Amino acid sequence: MLLLLKFAVLLLTLGLCQGNRQPNILVEDVEDVEPAFEPSRFGSLWPLPQKVKISQDSFKLGSSFRIVDGKGSSAGSSCNILQNAYRRYYEYIFGGAKRQGLGKNRRSAPSELTELRVYITSADSECDGYPSVKSDESYDLSVVQPFAVLRAPKVWGALHGLETFSQLVYEDEYGAKSINATAISDFPRFAHRGILLDTSRHFLPVKVILANLETMAMNKFNVFHWHIVDDPSFPYLSRTFPQLSQQGSYHPYTHVYTPADVKMVIEFARLRGIRVVPEFDTPGHTQSWGKGQPDLLTPCYSGATPSGTFGPVNPILNTTYDFMAQFFKEISSVFPDGYVHLGGDEVDFTCWKSNPDIQKFMDAQGFGKDYSKLESFYIQKLLNIVTTTKKGYIIWQEVFDNGVTLKPDTVVHVWIGSGTNEEMSKVTAAGYTTILSAPWYLDYISIGQDWRNYYKVEPLNFNGTEKQKALVIGGEACLWGEFVDATNLTPRLWPRASAVGERLWSSKDVTDLNDAFNRLSVHRCRMVERGIPAEPLFYSYCPREYKGL
Amino acid sequence: LRISFNSPNFIVCIIFYVFLFFLFLGVWPLPQTLISSTERFHLSPQAFYFGYGRQSAAQQGCSVLDAAFKRYFALIFPDYTSDGTLPFNVDKQFTVEVSVDHNDCDGYPNESSSERYNLSVFSGRASLKAVTVWGALRGLESFSQLVYQDDFGSYFVNKTDIKDFPRFQFRGILLDTSRHYLPVQAILKTLDAMAYSKFNVFHWHIVDDPSFPYQSRTFPDLSSKGAFHPMTHIYTQSDVRRVISHARMRGIRVLPEFDSPGHTKSWGKGQPDLLTPCYKGGIPSGTFGPINPALPSTYHFMATLFKEVSVVFPDSYIHLGGDEVDFSCWKSNPYVRAFMQKMGFGSDFTKLEAFYMENIVNITSALNKTSIVWQDVFDYHERIPKDTVLHIWKGTPASYYAELSRMTKAGMRVVLAAPWYINHISYGQDWHNYYTVQPLNFSGTEEQKKLVIGGEVCMWGEYVDATNLTPRLWPRASAAAERLWSDEKQTSNVDMAFPRLQDFRCKLVRRGIQAEPLYVGHCKQEYQGI
């Protein structure tokens, strides 16, 4: 990181006073460190770019300021992603400030910045494509007078650069939009930076999903892991099997995602450089599937008779695989991403054990009493099905642990909180790419500044060679839905997930908790100003408090 | 991806739910007695009226009830949009007839206001009888919760008979507007939700170390220098009046807290010489401690401030704080030490604190106000005036039970907050903990137990502002509300309470309160914001 000079004035100064804590019952809850806010030399940049140099020279952004395509950029006015982003960031930069008429006099004042020119430098801007795990997200930003210049090989980097540019703008003491001369060269440390939302345990209205995609972009996340169905409900409206949501959702009209909803989410995400990776978790976590698809689940037995309850997907019937083949064919066309998440976690064997037909099948296959072999049998067949759809797959760690044969490009998702480092070593030693979630289960809450724990995680802190570490493509913050719905999701996710965002984007040596606190405090106020109810880190205030009550 | 949580209970609860639906019909907190039948009456918004009984002391023009009728009409019929064209149907009309014994329409609820009411729902009418308008408000809330919609959107209410009164007189919520400023809108919304859970005291912890948002007319510098921002992060006099009036309309008292001598850092910015200068090595260090108890000017200032506060806030209680006083700064200051010598306190700084609190309590007594103080004041100084109310905030059940015994034995009235520090969050259904509290389970006589006037849910502000206040508060605070209102024997089982509370939380969501979910599930109408 290059060194830099201090900001003269900060956009959002933020107050934090020293003082006693109020009554607390539990002594151990008391923060060991009393955070004291002071402006960071990096302003409010979040996540911190790889290389930043900010000078003291400041420019004003007048009413005539524009974000424009640079001459010779490979993406022009027909590039929707960029044109939409220009408008979005113009509005974020100038906020609710009264629109002034188009400045007639577009001649620049001595210290005015009149344009941000955006250049896409590679021949294929990828403007009409979807982001992928291999997307180039790098960009260079140079704020000099009179034109700031943003260069990126692809539109994905340009989107991040626009966010960074908007974070550099601040209000001077007279409320004028200002920006300091700055040079930034930036790229993500990890390619996969995800947020998992669970729309099965509680249904999340589309509006809530979109608001969180918007916030993900502010934090440079690039994967929305949509844990769309699970035991409690099946809100995905399948064109091939409409009964699944008709019978399996909380309500067949008000609590479903129609094809149009899904399309909207995918396009909204694409415009922000975010991949949508759907998860259809099997063979466990499928209670809701059974309501609309008879014979899919295993009938559990009590003694010699069916008990009326059902277990995991029934792995011994051909109809199961016919169903899965058709179903995943649909999924592969509805979701454009190169990957689909197949779940495979927490399979409970008791129901399989109780079922005499399953036992017979086990004997015939020579599985003995080892039900993990049956699970592997199922998963193997499922993976073969999904392979025919030309998709890559992501699976939870148990699938790897149980020794299922995986394609070399399989992504193993590590989530179990104990023995995480050993697991990371094992998975990467076996040559699989890996995503880490274990330390970032954000549904677990406690009083205090738990963002610090998420921030302190070092994903490559396991025993392994450089080659192994290169297989870790990123991580995900998971917000499971047991206790979360539209009423509390957004403030519970932000800014706690922002801590994960910086860990996955910024350089490994960005670990200063105090500097992070100072930047994150202002970043959270910026999210609030942009209409996102991101909760406070500690006692403090935002110049413009949340108004969306 | 989750270790299965509570699911056997969950199934049991579903079974209970079907059963309980007819038994309790979703009134939260549970009324003292409720008898209902499966006989149901159709309600139509076009033929629904509120009216005053002939014998009622309050009649049309009663501000509290007229406003409540308007409010509850909208709450009872959330889908109804008046376009003015539908003629009111006189055939199948339904009237809720309200009668009260006292015309207290223009007053404020107070510490001895009766909230008792009787509600009977018959064919074509309901009769709601109460001693005061405050009781009538509680009855209207219960009535609104009895009304339900079938799958086709029609409204129904079952034949019901309720006799109800609160178990405890004081049922409070503390909000902290110093650690984070809460916009007035956030406070008003909380007052709405409080009324839905039958809370009746808004304890406004208005100032503290981090900021002083109360704009005093006598000492405007307190907020112009001590607020986070002197223009945008303050409560003007009209803001305060608005809060008090909004609360009054819902039968809620507004109890202001001006905590001293500790927790006063923000006061010092606008009031020079109020705080004690701390010393280091014989010279002032530039930092300040608690209020300076050794200067006469301190007591002049406090008397003037509390005179203002006693006029601005109509409630008969003023909360004086008195918690967590750090003695180190007092100890460092030679003038304070000299004052200790003069007063004969030796080196016992608790005596100095007691001296200070005694003076402050005398100031409020002279203003005809009842003082309420945190337990620290009693712990240090048992000889406080008998009419002071003590507020317990510390400790485990064992220690707050011991404290309850001691305080009530000394004849003092007590409010219990210790088990309801709702700013402490944890994973899972922590409402169980708030629900299963047994406030009177301490050793003491019947007389002693009567001295426990109630309890309070505290939402301290370190980690809470307008972005997350509402979902953190509701429905967790509602669990405490049932403990404080309802009969303990009838409401001791969390599995029985679960489906009712789930139903109630969906009602809150329907009413626009973003109450968070208890567990996996859904509401017919989900929250529509973000």
Side-chain angles (χ1 to χ4, degrees), chain B residues 145-181:
Chain B
Q145 295 187 23
L146 289 173
V147 178
Y148 58 94
Q149 277 178 286
D150 68 6
D151 287 343
F152 306 101
S154 298
Y155 297 96
F156 293 95
V157 65
N158 285 37
K159 186 170 160 45
T160 307
D161 198 53
I162 292 178
K163 289 190 174 46
D164 201 11
F165 55 88
R167 179 181 179 203
F168 291 105
Q169 186 63 44
F170 185 111
R171 305 177 308 281
I173 297 258
L174 176 149
L175 294 184
D176 169 1
T177 57
S178 172
R179 289 180 176 79
H180 284 101
Y181 175 81

Tab-separated table of all heavy atoms in Angstrom, chain B residues 145-181:
chain	number	residue	atom	x	y	z
B	145	GLN	N	-57.924	-7.104	19.040
B	145	GLN	CA	-57.206	-8.367	18.848
B	145	GLN	C	-58.154	-9.559	18.726
B	145	GLN	O	-57.746	-10.628	18.262
B	145	GLN	CB	-56.214	-8.596	19.998
B	145	GLN	CG	-55.089	-7.566	20.034
B	145	GLN	CD	-54.020	-7.901	21.064
B	145	GLN	OE1	-53.865	-9.049	21.462
B	145	GLN	NE2	-53.273	-6.901	21.498
B	146	LEU	N	-59.389	-9.370	19.162
B	146	LEU	CA	-60.364	-10.465	19.045
B	146	LEU	C	-60.876	-10.615	17.611
B	146	LEU	O	-61.329	-11.672	17.209
B	146	LEU	CB	-61.570	-10.206	19.965
B	146	LEU	CG	-61.337	-10.335	21.468
B	146	LEU	CD1	-62.588	-9.888	22.227
B	146	LEU	CD2	-60.976	-11.765	21.847
B	147	VAL	N	-60.811	-9.518	16.855
B	147	VAL	CA	-61.354	-9.554	15.489
B	147	VAL	C	-60.361	-10.263	14.573
B	147	VAL	O	-59.156	-10.043	14.665
B	147	VAL	CB	-61.627	-8.122	14.978
B	147	VAL	CG1	-62.153	-8.159	13.550
B	147	VAL	CG2	-62.618	-7.422	15.899
B	148	TYR	N	-60.868	-11.137	13.725
B	148	TYR	CA	-59.992	-11.854	12.795
B	148	TYR	C	-60.657	-11.924	11.437
B	148	TYR	O	-61.867	-11.684	11.303
B	148	TYR	CB	-59.666	-13.248	13.331
B	148	TYR	CG	-60.871	-14.123	13.600
B	148	TYR	CD1	-61.336	-15.016	12.634
B	148	TYR	CD2	-61.546	-14.047	14.812
B	148	TYR	CE1	-62.442	-15.822	12.885
B	148	TYR	CE2	-62.659	-14.846	15.070
B	148	TYR	CZ	-63.098	-15.733	14.110
B	148	TYR	OH	-64.198	-16.508	14.350
B	149	GLN	N	-59.864	-12.254	10.425
B	149	GLN	CA	-60.378	-12.369	9.065
B	149	GLN	C	-60.327	-13.817	8.627
B	149	GLN	O	-59.365	-14.533	8.927
B	149	GLN	CB	-59.509	-11.545	8.103
B	149	GLN	CG	-59.876	-10.079	8.053
B	149	GLN	CD	-58.957	-9.302	7.139
B	149	GLN	OE1	-57.807	-9.052	7.498
B	149	GLN	NE2	-59.445	-8.928	5.976
B	150	ASP	N	-61.352	-14.258	7.898
B	150	ASP	CA	-61.277	-15.613	7.342
B	150	ASP	C	-60.517	-15.551	6.014
B	150	ASP	O	-60.014	-14.491	5.623
B	150	ASP	CB	-62.674	-16.217	7.188
B	150	ASP	CG	-63.513	-15.524	6.130
B	150	ASP	OD1	-62.974	-14.642	5.420
B	150	ASP	OD2	-64.704	-15.847	6.011
B	151	ASP	N	-60.442	-16.685	5.325
B	151	ASP	CA	-59.642	-16.742	4.102
B	151	ASP	C	-60.175	-15.841	3.000
B	151	ASP	O	-59.467	-15.530	2.055
B	151	ASP	CB	-59.569	-18.182	3.583
B	151	ASP	CG	-58.665	-19.030	4.464
B	151	ASP	OD1	-57.889	-18.438	5.240
B	151	ASP	OD2	-58.740	-20.268	4.384
B	152	PHE	N	-61.423	-15.438	3.121
B	152	PHE	CA	-61.991	-14.594	2.074
B	152	PHE	C	-61.958	-13.122	2.455
B	152	PHE	O	-62.500	-12.278	1.770
B	152	PHE	CB	-63.426	-15.042	1.774
B	152	PHE	CG	-63.491	-16.517	1.455
B	152	PHE	CD1	-63.900	-17.432	2.411
B	152	PHE	CD2	-63.089	-16.974	0.206
B	152	PHE	CE1	-63.925	-18.788	2.121
B	152	PHE	CE2	-63.115	-18.328	-0.087
B	152	PHE	CZ	-63.531	-19.240	0.861
B	153	GLY	N	-61.356	-12.824	3.599
B	153	GLY	CA	-61.203	-11.434	3.996
B	153	GLY	C	-62.341	-10.891	4.839
B	153	GLY	O	-62.318	-9.734	5.233
B	154	SER	N	-63.352	-11.723	5.122
B	154	SER	CA	-64.441	-11.239	5.978
B	154	SER	C	-63.981	-11.168	7.426
B	154	SER	O	-63.174	-11.979	7.870
B	154	SER	CB	-65.629	-12.198	5.902
B	154	SER	OG	-66.110	-12.231	4.587
B	155	TYR	N	-64.543	-10.203	8.134
B	155	TYR	CA	-64.146	-9.990	9.525
B	155	TYR	C	-65.126	-10.663	10.474
B	155	TYR	O	-66.344	-10.616	10.252
B	155	TYR	CB	-64.101	-8.493	9.836
B	155	TYR	CG	-63.083	-7.741	9.023
B	155	TYR	CD1	-63.454	-7.077	7.861
B	155	TYR	CD2	-61.753	-7.693	9.427
B	155	TYR	CE1	-62.517	-6.381	7.110
B	155	TYR	CE2	-60.816	-6.997	8.678
B	155	TYR	CZ	-61.197	-6.348	7.528
B	155	TYR	OH	-60.279	-5.654	6.794
B	156	PHE	N	-64.585	-11.258	11.528
B	156	PHE	CA	-65.423	-11.921	12.514
B	156	PHE	C	-64.932	-11.614	13.922
B	156	PHE	O	-63.745	-11.333	14.131
B	156	PHE	CB	-65.402	-13.439	12.316
B	156	PHE	CG	-66.058	-13.884	11.051
B	156	PHE	CD1	-65.310	-14.109	9.914
B	156	PHE	CD2	-67.438	-14.072	10.995
B	156	PHE	CE1	-65.915	-14.508	8.731
B	156	PHE	CE2	-68.050	-14.479	9.819
B	156	PHE	CZ	-67.291	-14.693	8.680
B	157	VAL	N	-65.876	-11.719	14.854
B	157	VAL	CA	-65.499	-11.701	16.263
B	157	VAL	C	-66.372	-12.748	16.950
B	157	VAL	O	-67.537	-12.929	16.586
B	157	VAL	CB	-65.675	-10.291	16.876
B	157	VAL	CG1	-67.147	-9.865	16.888
B	157	VAL	CG2	-65.092	-10.214	18.287
B	158	ASN	N	-65.770	-13.470	17.887
B	158	ASN	CA	-66.540	-14.504	18.580
B	158	ASN	C	-67.209	-13.940	19.825
B	158	ASN	O	-66.755	-12.943	20.400
B	158	ASN	CB	-65.627	-15.668	18.990
B	158	ASN	CG	-65.248	-16.526	17.797
B	158	ASN	OD1	-65.041	-16.004	16.704
B	158	ASN	ND2	-65.170	-17.824	18.006
B	159	LYS	N	-68.260	-14.601	20.231
B	159	LYS	CA	-68.924	-14.260	21.489
B	159	LYS	C	-67.903	-14.432	22.604
B	159	LYS	O	-67.305	-15.499	22.742
B	159	LYS	CB	-70.109	-15.197	21.704
B	159	LYS	CG	-70.981	-14.873	22.887
B	159	LYS	CD	-72.248	-15.730	22.808
B	159	LYS	CE	-73.000	-15.879	24.115
B	159	LYS	NZ	-73.194	-14.697	24.910
B	160	THR	N	-67.695	-13.360	23.363
B	160	THR	CA	-66.581	-13.351	24.319
B	160	THR	C	-66.961	-12.548	25.551
B	160	THR	O	-67.738	-11.590	25.464
B	160	THR	CB	-65.335	-12.682	23.689
B	160	THR	OG1	-65.052	-13.301	22.442
B	160	THR	CG2	-64.119	-12.800	24.603
B	161	ASP	N	-66.400	-12.946	26.668
B	161	ASP	CA	-66.569	-12.162	27.885
B	161	ASP	C	-65.211	-12.040	28.580
B	161	ASP	O	-64.597	-13.048	28.914
B	161	ASP	CB	-67.588	-12.861	28.801
B	161	ASP	CG	-68.122	-11.908	29.836
B	161	ASP	OD1	-68.599	-10.827	29.458
B	161	ASP	OD2	-68.026	-12.242	31.035
B	162	ILE	N	-64.774	-10.810	28.756
B	162	ILE	CA	-63.452	-10.590	29.362
B	162	ILE	C	-63.599	-9.712	30.596
B	162	ILE	O	-64.300	-8.689	30.563
B	162	ILE	CB	-62.503	-9.897	28.357
B	162	ILE	CG1	-62.174	-10.838	27.192
B	162	ILE	CG2	-61.217	-9.441	29.037
B	162	ILE	CD1	-61.284	-10.217	26.126
B	163	LYS	N	-62.942	-10.153	31.674
B	163	LYS	CA	-62.792	-9.289	32.853
B	163	LYS	C	-61.304	-9.160	33.070
B	163	LYS	O	-60.612	-10.142	33.279
B	163	LYS	CB	-63.456	-9.921	34.080
B	163	LYS	CG	-64.968	-9.915	33.991
B	163	LYS	CD	-65.596	-10.329	35.315
B	163	LYS	CE	-67.109	-10.172	35.272
B	163	LYS	NZ	-67.731	-10.711	34.026
B	164	ASP	N	-60.815	-7.942	33.012
B	164	ASP	CA	-59.357	-7.811	32.922
B	164	ASP	C	-58.851	-6.622	33.724
B	164	ASP	O	-59.535	-5.607	33.868
B	164	ASP	CB	-58.961	-7.671	31.443
B	164	ASP	CG	-57.510	-8.042	31.184
B	164	ASP	OD1	-56.862	-8.600	32.085
B	164	ASP	OD2	-57.028	-7.777	30.071
B	165	PHE	N	-57.643	-6.803	34.227
B	165	PHE	CA	-56.941	-5.735	34.951
B	165	PHE	C	-55.475	-6.126	34.973
B	165	PHE	O	-55.149	-7.312	34.846
B	165	PHE	CB	-57.486	-5.600	36.387
B	165	PHE	CG	-57.439	-6.883	37.152
B	165	PHE	CD1	-56.316	-7.251	37.881
B	165	PHE	CD2	-58.530	-7.772	37.121
B	165	PHE	CE1	-56.273	-8.460	38.578
B	165	PHE	CE2	-58.488	-8.979	37.819
B	165	PHE	CZ	-57.359	-9.309	38.542
B	166	PRO	N	-54.568	-5.163	35.139
B	166	PRO	CA	-53.149	-5.518	35.127
B	166	PRO	C	-52.694	-6.084	36.460
B	166	PRO	O	-53.165	-5.649	37.518
B	166	PRO	CB	-52.458	-4.187	34.852
B	166	PRO	CG	-53.396	-3.158	35.367
B	166	PRO	CD	-54.779	-3.714	35.225
B	167	ARG	N	-51.776	-7.025	36.407
B	167	ARG	CA	-51.194	-7.545	37.639
B	167	ARG	C	-50.316	-6.486	38.295
B	167	ARG	O	-50.336	-6.311	39.512
B	167	ARG	CB	-50.347	-8.771	37.292
B	167	ARG	CG	-49.658	-9.393	38.487
B	167	ARG	CD	-48.816	-10.573	38.048
B	167	ARG	NE	-48.115	-11.188	39.148
B	167	ARG	CZ	-47.018	-11.920	39.005
B	167	ARG	NH1	-46.523	-12.135	37.792
B	167	ARG	NH2	-46.430	-12.460	40.046
B	168	PHE	N	-49.525	-5.771	37.476
B	168	PHE	CA	-48.658	-4.719	38.011
B	168	PHE	C	-49.061	-3.369	37.424
B	168	PHE	O	-49.415	-3.261	36.253
B	168	PHE	CB	-47.187	-4.992	37.673
B	168	PHE	CG	-46.607	-6.175	38.387
B	168	PHE	CD1	-46.398	-7.369	37.709
B	168	PHE	CD2	-46.286	-6.108	39.738
B	168	PHE	CE1	-45.856	-8.465	38.363
B	168	PHE	CE2	-45.748	-7.202	40.405
B	168	PHE	CZ	-45.532	-8.389	39.715
B	169	GLN	N	-48.947	-2.369	38.275
B	169	GLN	CA	-49.350	-1.020	37.899
B	169	GLN	C	-48.343	-0.358	36.955
B	169	GLN	O	-48.711	0.444	36.121
B	169	GLN	CB	-49.478	-0.185	39.183
B	169	GLN	CG	-50.020	1.192	38.991
B	169	GLN	CD	-51.441	1.165	38.454
B	169	GLN	OE1	-52.269	0.391	38.915
B	169	GLN	NE2	-51.711	2.003	37.463
B	170	PHE	N	-47.078	-0.712	37.094
B	170	PHE	CA	-46.007	-0.025	36.365
B	170	PHE	C	-45.408	-1.007	35.355
B	170	PHE	O	-44.783	-1.985	35.729
B	170	PHE	CB	-44.948	0.438	37.383
B	170	PHE	CG	-43.829	1.270	36.812
B	170	PHE	CD1	-43.718	2.626	37.119
B	170	PHE	CD2	-42.856	0.713	35.992
B	170	PHE	CE1	-42.670	3.400	36.626
B	170	PHE	CE2	-41.819	1.468	35.490
B	170	PHE	CZ	-41.729	2.813	35.805
B	171	ARG	N	-45.642	-0.747	34.065
B	171	ARG	CA	-45.146	-1.657	33.026
B	171	ARG	C	-44.431	-0.804	31.978
B	171	ARG	O	-45.056	-0.213	31.100
B	171	ARG	CB	-46.306	-2.440	32.404
B	171	ARG	CG	-47.149	-3.196	33.464
B	171	ARG	CD	-48.338	-3.923	32.858
B	171	ARG	NE	-49.152	-3.055	32.020
B	171	ARG	CZ	-50.050	-2.186	32.482
B	171	ARG	NH1	-50.282	-2.071	33.794
B	171	ARG	NH2	-50.731	-1.428	31.651
B	172	GLY	N	-43.120	-0.750	32.116
B	172	GLY	CA	-42.380	0.256	31.363
B	172	GLY	C	-41.450	-0.270	30.287
B	172	GLY	O	-41.073	-1.443	30.267
B	173	ILE	N	-41.101	0.653	29.386
B	173	ILE	CA	-40.050	0.431	28.382
B	173	ILE	C	-39.084	1.599	28.493
B	173	ILE	O	-39.510	2.754	28.506
B	173	ILE	CB	-40.619	0.437	26.949
B	173	ILE	CG1	-41.611	-0.692	26.750
B	173	ILE	CG2	-39.493	0.420	25.918
B	173	ILE	CD1	-41.116	-1.875	26.006
B	174	LEU	N	-37.791	1.286	28.605
B	174	LEU	CA	-36.782	2.332	28.609
B	174	LEU	C	-36.169	2.436	27.210
B	174	LEU	O	-35.741	1.434	26.645
B	174	LEU	CB	-35.674	2.010	29.626
B	174	LEU	CG	-34.476	2.972	29.677
B	174	LEU	CD1	-33.903	3.044	31.094
B	174	LEU	CD2	-33.363	2.606	28.705
B	175	LEU	N	-36.154	3.641	26.686
B	175	LEU	CA	-35.372	3.919	25.477
B	175	LEU	C	-34.284	4.920	25.843
B	175	LEU	O	-34.506	5.819	26.647
B	175	LEU	CB	-36.235	4.510	24.358
B	175	LEU	CG	-37.327	3.645	23.741
B	175	LEU	CD1	-37.981	4.399	22.582
B	175	LEU	CD2	-36.797	2.301	23.268
B	176	ASP	N	-33.128	4.754	25.217
B	176	ASP	CA	-31.936	5.529	25.517
B	176	ASP	C	-31.662	6.412	24.300
B	176	ASP	O	-31.268	5.926	23.247
B	176	ASP	CB	-30.806	4.512	25.761
B	176	ASP	CG	-29.414	5.120	25.843
B	176	ASP	OD1	-29.281	6.345	25.725
B	176	ASP	OD2	-28.464	4.335	26.027
B	177	THR	N	-31.897	7.704	24.452
B	177	THR	CA	-31.723	8.596	23.296
B	177	THR	C	-30.423	9.382	23.380
B	177	THR	O	-30.257	10.382	22.682
B	177	THR	CB	-32.898	9.590	23.178
B	177	THR	OG1	-32.999	10.330	24.391
B	177	THR	CG2	-34.197	8.866	22.905
B	178	SER	N	-29.515	8.922	24.222
B	178	SER	CA	-28.236	9.608	24.341
B	178	SER	C	-27.130	8.879	23.585
B	178	SER	O	-26.336	9.495	22.891
B	178	SER	CB	-27.841	9.715	25.810
B	178	SER	OG	-26.529	10.206	25.934
B	179	ARG	N	-27.065	7.560	23.717
B	179	ARG	CA	-25.999	6.804	23.041
B	179	ARG	C	-26.204	6.793	21.534
B	179	ARG	O	-25.266	6.797	20.769
B	179	ARG	CB	-25.917	5.395	23.606
B	179	ARG	CG	-25.362	5.429	25.016
B	179	ARG	CD	-25.244	4.055	25.640
B	179	ARG	NE	-24.608	4.182	26.949
B	179	ARG	CZ	-25.246	4.578	28.040
B	179	ARG	NH1	-26.536	4.862	27.997
B	179	ARG	NH2	-24.612	4.704	29.181
B	180	HIS	N	-27.473	6.736	21.127
B	180	HIS	CA	-27.833	7.061	19.748
B	180	HIS	C	-29.067	7.946	19.813
B	180	HIS	O	-29.968	7.702	20.614
B	180	HIS	CB	-28.130	5.807	18.925
B	180	HIS	CG	-26.908	5.055	18.529
B	180	HIS	ND1	-26.496	3.920	19.185
B	180	HIS	CD2	-26.000	5.283	17.559
B	180	HIS	CE1	-25.375	3.481	18.624
B	180	HIS	NE2	-25.050	4.282	17.637
B	181	TYR	N	-29.090	8.928	18.951
B	181	TYR	CA	-30.266	9.774	18.857
B	181	TYR	C	-31.362	9.002	18.131
B	181	TYR	O	-31.114	8.399	17.086
B	181	TYR	CB	-29.920	11.040	18.071
B	181	TYR	CG	-31.101	11.940	17.818
B	181	TYR	CD1	-31.545	12.815	18.800
B	181	TYR	CD2	-31.775	11.913	16.602
B	181	TYR	CE1	-32.635	13.643	18.575
B	181	TYR	CE2	-32.866	12.737	16.367
B	181	TYR	CZ	-33.291	13.596	17.364
B	181	TYR	OH	-34.364	14.410	17.134
